[in-house]
Amino acid sequence: MLLNFFTSLREAKVPVSLREYLTLLEALQRDLADQSVEQFYFLSRAALVKDERNLDKFDRVFGQVFKGLGEGGGPDGVAVTELPEEWLRKLAEKHLSPEERAEIEALGWDKLWEALKQRLAEQQGRHQGGSKWIGTAGTSPFGAYGYNPEGIRIGQEGNRNFRAVKVWDQRTFRDLDDTTELGTRNIKIALRRLRKFARQGALDELDLDGTIKGTAHRGFLDIRMRAERRNAVKVLLFFDIGGSMDWHIQQAEELFSAAKSEFRHMDYFYFHNCPYERVWKENRRRHEAVIPTQDIIRTYGSDYRIIFVGDAAMSPYEISHAGGSVEHWNAESGETWLTRLTDHFPKAVWLNPVPSNRWGYTHSTLMLKQLMAGRMFPLSLEGLEGAMKALAR
């Protein structure tokens, strides 16, 4: 089976060498996979895949060769599956048929706010289910754990269908880990396309020609040193954090870690969904320790390259309307602030962790791509290379 696995990888154009195959066999002899299918998958991937671009090919071959391996079952061959606690805890949540969902129409921005004000004035107590009052489950546009294609989520723990127009919850976001190293090697290589070297900083490199000339001129050993060559490109990173970006946090952390090691002149900021009048550096203090976006425009010169990192999935109101932000009342639209940033920093790109063939399913993604003058790239190695070329022009 292992030999078939090796030849199948070669047939799928995964560049696997005999030496790497022997390394895998040696690791298995030492029981490094711990007789676990999952551990064998990660062990074989680490031993046989040199380039992250081949991970998808590897996964397809692995699934074909080892299909059914490790599948368990209960009595009479019936598979046993434990229901997640999340499902049991929210049995009261109402699930609608496609026909019922089709009957629910979004109220629209102005009507949604007027309806919420009216409900707050009229409602006397807690409510569950139904289609009107603020409560849990049901099909009302207001409340928690129900279904409505566009509503205001109040008091719900976590996201469910990524369709809320406004979120009135105290949510906790986590800072990105800039020490993440897994998978950053190829990202660093892609980022190096943006390099522009200059000699600066501490004197830590021997200037051989200068040492020879100085020694000959003075008549005694005259050691000359010169500054290390450093990447002189200046970069600002803006990371979308929280919400639907939780699905892409590992990719964002790998990019963050690689960028910190590649760019000496780099700073970073967080935002949620769309840049507005304020950003922040620490997610646990994102409501009090904010940085005015206008201060960033005043502080950093237009020679800085800026990179936005986000899935661009949000309500279109967050981009086009004042007050459209899901978490606070923004006096000016996200489009206004994004335009101000890109006008001041003309060399700007947007990196999207969602594959480009799915961008057309989200209207907000197409809106942001247009605002970025088409400079939106997938957060893949190929996309990074394209983004760095665009920033280097």
Side-chain angles (χ1 to χ4, degrees):
M1 182 175 283
L2 287 176
L3 183 59
N4 181 34
F5 183 38
F6 174 71
T7 56
S8 297
L9 287 171
R10 296 289 293 268
E11 290 172 1
K13 306 300 182 184
V14 179
V16 182
S17 68
L18 183 59
R19 167 53 58 190
E20 290 160 346
Y21 177 65
L22 294 175
T23 299
L24 176 61
L25 292 180
E26 182 181 355
L28 291 174
Q29 288 176 348
R30 298 185 182 186
D31 199 23
L32 296 184
D34 197 26
Q35 300 183 6
S36 163
V37 176
E38 182 179 5
Q39 293 300 321
F40 170 65
Y41 164 77
F42 288 112
L43 176 64
S44 59
R45 192 178 75 170
L48 302 178
V49 180
K50 299 184 289 291
D51 192 323
E52 292 179 6
R53 301 183 204 197
N54 295 313
L55 287 178
D56 287 340
K57 296 179 184 176
F58 175 86
D59 287 346
R60 286 196 294 269
V61 173
F62 189 94
Q64 292 169 0
V65 174
F66 299 107
K67 184 178 181 180
L69 186 63
E71 290 182 354
D76 302 322
V78 178
V80 177
T81 304
E82 288 189 11
L83 286 177
E85 182 183 347
E86 177 81 359
W87 293 9
L88 299 174
R89 186 170 61 85
K90 294 181 180 175
L91 283 175
E93 180 176 329
K94 184 175 181 180
H95 296 277
L96 304 181
S97 68
E99 292 76 16
E100 289 175 313
R101 294 185 182 187
E103 293 176 1
I104 300 174
E105 298 180 357
L107 293 176
W109 182 253
D110 295 331
K111 291 183 179 179
L112 192 66
W113 279 107
E114 289 301 321
L116 177 60
K117 291 177 183 178
Q118 185 177 354
R119 300 292 192 280
L120 288 172
E122 296 176 358
Q123 187 165 339
Q124 300 300 317
R126 185 186 182 281
H127 190 79
Q128 178 164 330
S131 60
K132 178 179 179 180
W133 300 112
I134 303 167
T136 57
T139 62
S140 169
F142 317 109
Y145 303 120
Y147 178 86
N148 194 288
E150 290 193 15
I152 296 177
R153 196 169 74 234
I154 304 171
Q156 178 172 311
E157 180 184 348
N159 209 335
R160 195 177 80 85
N161 56 19
F162 303 100
R163 294 298 303 272
V165 170
K166 202 80 172 176
V167 178
W168 279 356
D169 299 323
Q170 181 65 36
R171 295 190 289 175
T172 301
F173 298 158
R174 180 171 69 86
D175 290 348
L176 295 179
D177 182 2
D178 61 359
T179 63
T180 299
E181 285 296 335
L182 179 63
T184 60
R185 179 171 59 89
N186 287 333
I187 296 178
K188 291 179 181 179
I189 293 173
L191 293 178
R192 285 171 190 168
R193 290 183 176 273
L194 195 55
R195 281 182 166 183
K196 179 181 179 182
F197 286 109
R199 295 201 176 275
Q200 54 190 0
L203 301 177
D204 57 2
E205 183 179 340
L206 177 65
D207 183 356
L208 184 58
D209 291 339
T211 298
I212 293 173
K213 291 179 182 179
T215 300
H217 177 72
R218 293 174 176 268
F220 56 85
L221 182 61
D222 183 12
I223 297 178
R224 304 283 180 91
M225 303 294 290
R226 58 183 175 183
E228 179 186 2
R229 296 176 75 236
R230 296 270 188 167
N231 191 352
V233 169
K234 302 173 182 178
V235 175
L236 295 181
L237 280 169
F238 291 84
F239 287 99
D240 180 7
I241 201 75
S244 57
M245 275 300 292
D246 288 345
W247 297 98
H248 312 291
I249 196 166
Q250 182 177 353
Q251 290 174 277
E253 285 184 337
E254 289 174 358
L255 175 65
F256 189 26
S257 179
K260 287 200 73 172
S261 67
E262 287 300 315
F263 301 116
R264 181 175 181 179
H265 301 288
M266 192 204 86
D267 207 346
Y268 69 93
F269 305 94
Y270 295 119
F271 66 95
H272 183 56
N273 283 355
C274 190
Y276 294 109
E277 74 282 356
R278 63 192 191 192
V279 292
W280 56 92
K281 301 274 287 187
E282 296 179 71
N283 280 302
R284 64 183 180 85
R285 302 181 62 211
R286 62 194 174 97
H287 294 295
E288 61 268 12
V290 297
I291 302 168
T293 306
Q294 193 62 49
D295 285 359
I296 294 175
I297 295 174
R298 295 192 191 101
T299 302
Y300 298 93
S302 57
D303 56 334
Y304 272 81
R305 275 78 164 174
I306 60 173
I307 302 173
F308 298 101
V309 183
D311 62 0
M314 67 195 82
S315 166
Y317 297 126
E318 298 182 61
I319 303 172
S320 60
H321 280 62
S325 169
V326 295
E327 292 201 309
H328 76 292
W329 186 269
N330 52 300
E332 296 178 291
S333 68
E335 176 182 355
T336 300
W337 282 105
L338 188 63
T339 301
R340 285 178 182 150
L341 285 167
T342 53
D343 283 347
H344 182 72
F345 304 103
K347 294 187 176 181
V349 296
W350 189 293
L351 294 176
N352 193 329
V354 177
S356 56
N357 60 359
R358 290 163 50 192
W359 293 354
Y361 299 133
T362 310
H363 182 52
S364 60
T365 304
L366 301 180
M367 292 173 68
L368 285 177
K369 184 178 179 182
Q370 183 177 7
L371 287 172
M372 293 298 299
R375 298 190 301 271
M376 180 179 285
F377 300 87
L379 187 48
S380 62
L381 295 177
E382 183 179 359
L384 272 173
E385 290 176 356
M388 296 307 104
K389 288 180 181 178
L391 290 176
R393 293 192 183 105

